[in-house]
mmCIF file of all heavy atoms in Angstrom:
data_model
loop_
_atom_site.group_PDB
_atom_site.id
_atom_site.type_symbol
_atom_site.label_atom_id
_atom_site.label_comp_id
_atom_site.label_asym_id
_atom_site.label_seq_id
_atom_site.Cartn_x
_atom_site.Cartn_y
_atom_site.Cartn_z
ATOM 1 N N SER N 94 -13.170 12.709 17.701
ATOM 2 C CA SER N 94 -13.057 11.411 18.391
ATOM 3 C C SER N 94 -11.853 10.649 17.682
ATOM 4 O O SER N 94 -11.503 10.790 16.549
ATOM 5 C CB SER N 94 -14.334 10.625 18.240
ATOM 6 O OG SER N 94 -14.861 10.648 16.938
ATOM 7 N N GLY N 95 -11.361 9.718 18.572
ATOM 8 C CA GLY N 95 -10.236 8.980 17.960
ATOM 9 C C GLY N 95 -10.606 7.829 17.118
ATOM 10 O O GLY N 95 -11.792 7.464 16.965
ATOM 11 N N GLU N 96 -9.716 7.319 16.332
ATOM 12 C CA GLU N 96 -9.939 6.219 15.456
ATOM 13 C C GLU N 96 -8.742 5.234 15.460
ATOM 14 O O GLU N 96 -7.604 5.647 15.481
ATOM 15 C CB GLU N 96 -10.215 6.741 14.025
ATOM 16 C CG GLU N 96 -10.555 5.606 13.031
ATOM 17 C CD GLU N 96 -11.407 6.146 11.817
ATOM 18 O OE1 GLU N 96 -11.699 7.295 11.766
ATOM 19 O OE2 GLU N 96 -11.670 5.372 10.981
ATOM 20 N N PHE N 97 -9.068 3.914 15.369
ATOM 21 C CA PHE N 97 -8.074 2.891 15.432
ATOM 22 C C PHE N 97 -7.889 2.410 13.930
ATOM 23 O O PHE N 97 -8.951 1.938 13.377
ATOM 24 C CB PHE N 97 -8.536 1.731 16.279
ATOM 25 C CG PHE N 97 -7.636 0.482 16.177
ATOM 26 C CD1 PHE N 97 -6.480 0.477 16.913
ATOM 27 C CD2 PHE N 97 -7.922 -0.567 15.413
ATOM 28 C CE1 PHE N 97 -5.599 -0.615 16.922
ATOM 29 C CE2 PHE N 97 -7.136 -1.674 15.335
ATOM 30 C CZ PHE N 97 -5.915 -1.762 16.067
ATOM 31 N N TYR N 98 -6.678 2.417 13.467
ATOM 32 C CA TYR N 98 -6.319 1.909 12.096
ATOM 33 C C TYR N 98 -5.341 0.817 12.154
ATOM 34 O O TYR N 98 -4.484 0.827 12.933
ATOM 35 C CB TYR N 98 -5.636 3.044 11.251
ATOM 36 C CG TYR N 98 -6.597 3.940 10.427
ATOM 37 C CD1 TYR N 98 -7.876 4.171 10.787
ATOM 38 C CD2 TYR N 98 -6.099 4.641 9.195
ATOM 39 C CE1 TYR N 98 -8.762 4.960 10.008
ATOM 40 C CE2 TYR N 98 -6.952 5.351 8.401
ATOM 41 C CZ TYR N 98 -8.149 5.618 8.860
ATOM 42 O OH TYR N 98 -8.959 6.407 8.069
ATOM 43 N N LEU N 99 -5.630 -0.168 11.367
ATOM 44 C CA LEU N 99 -4.751 -1.370 11.302
ATOM 45 C C LEU N 99 -4.398 -1.654 9.902
ATOM 46 O O LEU N 99 -5.350 -2.133 9.135
ATOM 47 C CB LEU N 99 -5.259 -2.490 12.072
ATOM 48 C CG LEU N 99 -4.481 -3.862 11.938
ATOM 49 C CD1 LEU N 99 -3.246 -3.741 12.750
ATOM 50 C CD2 LEU N 99 -5.318 -5.000 12.596
ATOM 51 N N GLY N 100 -3.190 -1.663 9.373
ATOM 52 C CA GLY N 100 -2.895 -2.094 8.114
ATOM 53 C C GLY N 100 -2.910 -3.676 8.040
ATOM 54 O O GLY N 100 -2.460 -4.299 8.926
ATOM 55 N N THR N 101 -3.538 -4.169 6.881
ATOM 56 C CA THR N 101 -3.594 -5.648 6.907
ATOM 57 C C THR N 101 -3.012 -6.224 5.486
ATOM 58 O O THR N 101 -2.807 -7.342 5.522
ATOM 59 C CB THR N 101 -5.056 -6.151 6.980
ATOM 60 O OG1 THR N 101 -5.798 -5.734 5.908
ATOM 61 C CG2 THR N 101 -5.647 -5.579 8.215
ATOM 62 N N ALA N 102 -2.899 -5.386 4.461
ATOM 63 C CA ALA N 102 -2.195 -5.814 3.241
ATOM 64 C C ALA N 102 -1.752 -4.648 2.359
ATOM 65 O O ALA N 102 -2.398 -3.620 2.450
ATOM 66 C CB ALA N 102 -3.260 -6.613 2.458
ATOM 67 N N GLY N 103 -0.761 -4.964 1.683
ATOM 68 C CA GLY N 103 -0.190 -3.999 0.794
ATOM 69 C C GLY N 103 0.623 -2.909 1.480
ATOM 70 O O GLY N 103 1.056 -3.048 2.644
ATOM 71 N N THR N 104 0.937 -1.753 0.790
ATOM 72 C CA THR N 104 1.896 -0.841 1.210
ATOM 73 C C THR N 104 1.260 0.532 1.133
ATOM 74 O O THR N 104 0.952 1.085 0.045
ATOM 75 C CB THR N 104 3.138 -0.730 0.354
ATOM 76 O OG1 THR N 104 3.584 -2.101 0.235
ATOM 77 C CG2 THR N 104 4.209 0.096 0.856
ATOM 78 N N GLY N 105 0.876 1.061 2.392
ATOM 79 C CA GLY N 105 0.346 2.334 2.309
ATOM 80 C C GLY N 105 0.704 3.204 3.498
ATOM 81 O O GLY N 105 1.448 2.755 4.422
ATOM 82 N N ALA N 106 -0.004 4.331 3.636
ATOM 83 C CA ALA N 106 0.296 5.266 4.823
ATOM 84 C C ALA N 106 -0.947 6.110 5.066
ATOM 85 O O ALA N 106 -1.906 6.207 4.193
ATOM 86 C CB ALA N 106 1.373 6.123 4.502
ATOM 87 N N VAL N 107 -0.977 6.689 6.252
ATOM 88 C CA VAL N 107 -2.082 7.550 6.608
ATOM 89 C C VAL N 107 -1.512 8.884 6.828
ATOM 90 O O VAL N 107 -0.539 9.117 7.595
ATOM 91 C CB VAL N 107 -2.884 7.017 7.732
ATOM 92 C CG1 VAL N 107 -2.178 6.816 8.986
ATOM 93 C CG2 VAL N 107 -4.104 8.119 8.038
ATOM 94 N N VAL N 108 -2.008 9.988 6.240
ATOM 95 C CA VAL N 108 -1.656 11.384 6.484
ATOM 96 C C VAL N 108 -2.647 11.954 7.400
ATOM 97 O O VAL N 108 -3.770 11.891 7.195
ATOM 98 C CB VAL N 108 -1.642 12.136 5.111
ATOM 99 C CG1 VAL N 108 -1.269 13.670 5.372
ATOM 100 C CG2 VAL N 108 -0.800 11.468 4.059
ATOM 101 N N MET N 109 -2.189 12.485 8.486
ATOM 102 C CA MET N 109 -2.982 13.105 9.604
ATOM 103 C C MET N 109 -2.554 14.673 9.705
ATOM 104 O O MET N 109 -1.405 14.993 9.566
ATOM 105 C CB MET N 109 -2.827 12.352 10.911
ATOM 106 C CG MET N 109 -3.245 10.933 10.782
ATOM 107 S SD MET N 109 -2.667 9.924 12.154
ATOM 108 C CE MET N 109 -1.010 9.689 11.624
ATOM 109 N N GLN N 110 -3.654 15.429 9.922
ATOM 110 C CA GLN N 110 -3.478 16.857 10.054
ATOM 111 C C GLN N 110 -4.402 17.552 10.939
ATOM 112 O O GLN N 110 -5.665 17.179 10.920
ATOM 113 C CB GLN N 110 -3.558 17.463 8.534
ATOM 114 C CG GLN N 110 -3.500 18.969 8.513
ATOM 115 C CD GLN N 110 -3.593 19.381 7.112
ATOM 116 O OE1 GLN N 110 -2.746 19.035 6.203
ATOM 117 N NE2 GLN N 110 -4.478 20.218 6.776
ATOM 118 N N THR N 111 -3.919 18.368 11.790
ATOM 119 C CA THR N 111 -4.773 19.099 12.695
ATOM 120 C C THR N 111 -5.341 20.393 12.021
ATOM 121 O O THR N 111 -4.850 20.726 10.903
ATOM 122 C CB THR N 111 -3.980 19.634 13.928
ATOM 123 O OG1 THR N 111 -3.014 20.566 13.476
ATOM 124 C CG2 THR N 111 -3.300 18.451 14.661
ATOM 125 N N ARG N 112 -6.305 20.967 12.659
ATOM 126 C CA ARG N 112 -7.026 22.088 12.016
ATOM 127 C C ARG N 112 -5.963 23.332 12.047
ATOM 128 O O ARG N 112 -6.168 24.317 11.329
ATOM 129 C CB ARG N 112 -8.249 22.532 12.806
ATOM 130 C CG ARG N 112 -9.428 21.603 12.513
ATOM 131 C CD ARG N 112 -10.738 22.130 12.950
ATOM 132 N NE ARG N 112 -11.817 21.170 12.543
ATOM 133 C CZ ARG N 112 -12.287 20.095 13.127
ATOM 134 N NH1 ARG N 112 -11.631 19.770 14.316
ATOM 135 N NH2 ARG N 112 -13.238 19.278 12.639
ATOM 136 N N SER N 113 -4.981 23.244 12.886
ATOM 137 C CA SER N 113 -3.948 24.311 12.837
ATOM 138 C C SER N 113 -2.823 23.966 11.938
ATOM 139 O O SER N 113 -1.867 24.736 11.821
ATOM 140 C CB SER N 113 -3.436 24.603 14.336
ATOM 141 O OG SER N 113 -2.914 23.407 14.818
ATOM 142 N N GLY N 114 -2.902 22.859 11.169
ATOM 143 C CA GLY N 114 -1.874 22.597 10.139
ATOM 144 C C GLY N 114 -0.767 21.659 10.410
ATOM 145 O O GLY N 114 0.193 21.504 9.599
ATOM 146 N N GLU N 115 -0.738 21.165 11.600
ATOM 147 C CA GLU N 115 0.283 20.180 12.047
ATOM 148 C C GLU N 115 0.022 18.876 11.197
ATOM 149 O O GLU N 115 -1.001 18.476 11.206
ATOM 150 C CB GLU N 115 0.313 19.993 13.437
ATOM 151 C CG GLU N 115 1.568 19.292 14.006
ATOM 152 C CD GLU N 115 1.536 19.305 15.564
ATOM 153 O OE1 GLU N 115 0.859 20.090 16.189
ATOM 154 O OE2 GLU N 115 2.291 18.364 16.074
#
Side-chain angles (χ1 to χ4, degrees):
S94 47
E96 182 156 358
F97 174 82
Y98 268 27
L99 175 68
T101 68
T104 309
V107 55
V108 179
M109 294 165 280
Q110 176 175 302
T111 64
R112 288 193 174 83
S113 59
E115 197 172 338

